[in-house]
Amino acid sequence: MSNKNNPFALPEMELVEKRLQEINSYDNPYLSEVTGYVLHQGGKRLRPLLVLLCSDIYGAALKTRVDVAVAAELIHSASLVHDDIVDNSSLRRGQLSTNKRWGNPSAVLVGDFLFARAYAILSSYPKILGIMTEAISSMCLGELRQMYCHFDPDTTPEDYIHTIVSKTASLITASCECGAIISPMPADEVRIISKFALHIGIAFQISDDISDYVLDADEAGKPQGNDIRNGIVTLPLMYLVANPGTRQRVQGLLNQKQPLEPKMLHQELEKTKAIQKSAAVACQHLDRGIELLGNFPARPSVMMLKELALQVKERCTALSQHANLAQQPCQPCQPSSPQFGPR
């Protein structure tokens, strides 16, 4: 793919990286070490990219675009630090998690500090600050909802979508919405770009949930099976519970409330094609998001948003065919009813 069509090669992203480096300049060398580790572990920088692309459809002041993009990344990074504490995760992006390397007390404070830095930037943009803080509240509620549904075989598709909209799609949606409203985008199109972001966010989280089953730690950058080990009921597992041929055993395992491993469910996953069906649901959301982009002018930033969605779709298809799950690759199946998520 040429840089012209690659959204991750957007020149303004270099300004975001430079600003993150500037922010990480403190008199306290310990703080600089830990926050620098968090901010420069890698990652896709999806949320700042969405801010930049959505604000570029109709154009906006460069400083404002970069400010909001940087704040979105700080919020996301802070949330990941706190997530790893909650999940007791030892790896993040293929490296030791912050809590594993420096301990929970330091990780909590560093996460809080990154949130504070984001708020400081957004204090100059009250409307943006309101949208972002609402997203953070939603993320917290989503994590709490998930925490209190561990090992629950009665988790419904509606529960699942509600959780991932809160914990993941909320910040992705806020990033797109904030990018849109700092530009002269018409209000009806702001609502459309927010719907696009919602579908992208849902698909992105489903993709991440699938990877928990099929990618090892080296490929995923985090421990394989971390979700299922903690009893988090995601879409692949829901397909096993919904299938009459696998329900009894899977419900029995969940009711024991003991750590599970993906390999324990290998035969059930193969029999039900739960991974392929989950990937197909993600692809449906991506297709809906791409369709919504047809409401916007045919501008480079819109084409990059489409390319971004297509990249996520390609990843979903690749995960559904992953060799760790099946001996022979297979094409994604059509999802069975009920349908998952908003239209």
Side-chain angles (χ1 to χ4, degrees):
M1 181 191 304
S2 68
N3 282 351
K4 181 179 179 181
N5 297 319
N6 183 5
F8 291 97
L10 194 70
E12 292 93 324
M13 286 298 292
E14 295 181 11
L15 299 177
V16 171
E17 294 297 334
K18 182 179 178 181
R19 184 75 180 283
L20 288 171
Q21 291 178 2
E22 292 171 352
I23 286 174
N24 193 46
S25 300
Y26 314 113
D27 293 334
N28 186 324
Y30 177 78
L31 181 61
S32 294
E33 180 186 8
V34 183
T35 55
Y37 182 81
V38 172
L39 293 173
H40 302 295
Q41 278 186 305
K44 294 169 282 295
R45 303 291 199 231
L46 174 64
R47 290 143 192 90
L49 177 61
L50 289 171
V51 172
L52 293 173
L53 289 175
C54 291
S55 61
D56 192 48
I57 296 174
Y58 284 93
L62 181 60
K63 180 182 183 303
T64 303
R65 294 173 66 211
V66 173
D67 280 351
V68 177
V70 168
E73 183 61 24
L74 289 171
I75 291 168
H76 177 57
S77 296
S79 72
L80 293 183
V81 173
H82 286 172
D83 284 352
D84 287 341
I85 298 169
V86 171
D87 297 338
N88 195 29
S89 182
S90 59
L91 286 178
R92 169 64 64 181
R93 294 167 179 164
Q95 303 176 58
L96 287 178
S97 60
T98 307
N99 53 299
K100 184 68 174 180
R101 182 164 175 176
W102 283 282
N104 284 349
S106 292
V108 168
L109 293 171
V110 165
D112 290 346
F113 184 80
L114 293 174
F115 276 127
R117 295 295 294 188
Y119 300 153
I121 294 171
L122 295 179
S123 64
S124 299
Y125 311 98
K127 188 171 183 179
I128 302 299
L129 179 59
I131 293 170
M132 286 296 190
T133 52
E134 184 65 28
I136 294 168
S137 297
S138 182
M139 290 160 66
C140 293
L141 289 172
E143 289 292 344
L144 282 168
R145 187 182 300 112
Q146 179 174 274
M147 187 184 302
Y148 288 104
C149 292
H150 285 192
F151 296 102
D152 184 0
D154 296 323
T155 302
T156 66
E158 292 75 20
D159 293 334
Y160 173 71
I161 291 296
H162 195 185
T163 296
I164 66 176
V165 165
S166 296
K167 63 176 277 191
T168 301
S170 59
L171 186 55
I172 288 176
T173 301
S175 297
C176 287
E177 183 180 357
C178 289
I181 67 173
I182 61 175
S183 77
M185 183 180 290
D188 60 332
E189 292 186 18
V190 173
R191 288 190 289 271
I192 293 171
I193 205 71
S194 295
K195 289 180 181 179
F196 160 81
L198 178 63
H199 286 299
I200 298 302
I202 291 171
F204 196 83
Q205 185 58 53
I206 293 174
S207 170
D208 193 62
D209 292 343
I210 293 170
S211 71
D212 191 61
Y213 286 84
V214 303
L215 298 184
D216 60 29
D218 290 339
E219 294 169 309
K222 57 184 179 180
Q224 184 185 31
N226 205 52
D227 287 346
I228 190 173
R229 192 173 299 115
N230 289 318
I232 298 174
V233 180
T234 58
L235 190 52
L237 194 58
M238 291 178 67
Y239 275 114
L240 302 190
V241 175
N243 188 290
T246 57
R247 180 184 301 130
Q248 184 174 356
R249 179 172 183 267
V250 175
Q251 284 183 331
L253 289 170
L254 289 171
N255 287 331
Q256 292 176 19
K257 299 189 183 301
Q258 296 296 319
L260 302 174
E261 298 291 339
K263 62 184 179 182
M264 296 170 65
L265 300 172
H266 177 87
Q267 291 184 352
E268 287 82 0
L269 291 167
E270 282 287 279
K271 179 179 180 180
T272 62
K273 301 301 180 187
I275 296 299
Q276 290 80 2
K277 292 176 181 178
S278 299
V281 171
C283 288
Q284 281 189 343
H285 281 284
L286 292 164
D287 287 340
R288 293 173 194 164
I290 291 169
E291 184 179 356
L292 287 169
L293 291 177
N295 292 281
F296 294 94
R299 292 176 180 163
S301 48
V302 176
M303 299 308 296
M304 288 187 182
L305 287 170
K306 180 179 179 180
E307 178 58 38
L308 183 62
L310 289 172
Q311 287 185 22
V312 179
K313 188 173 182 178
E314 182 179 351
R315 171 176 166 78
C316 288
T317 301
L319 287 171
S320 74
Q321 299 172 336
H322 200 276
N324 284 355
L325 182 64
Q327 293 298 317
Q328 294 183 1
C330 48
Q331 295 300 317
C333 298
Q334 292 300 315
S336 58
S337 60
Q339 296 298 313
F340 291 80
R343 289 284 180 179

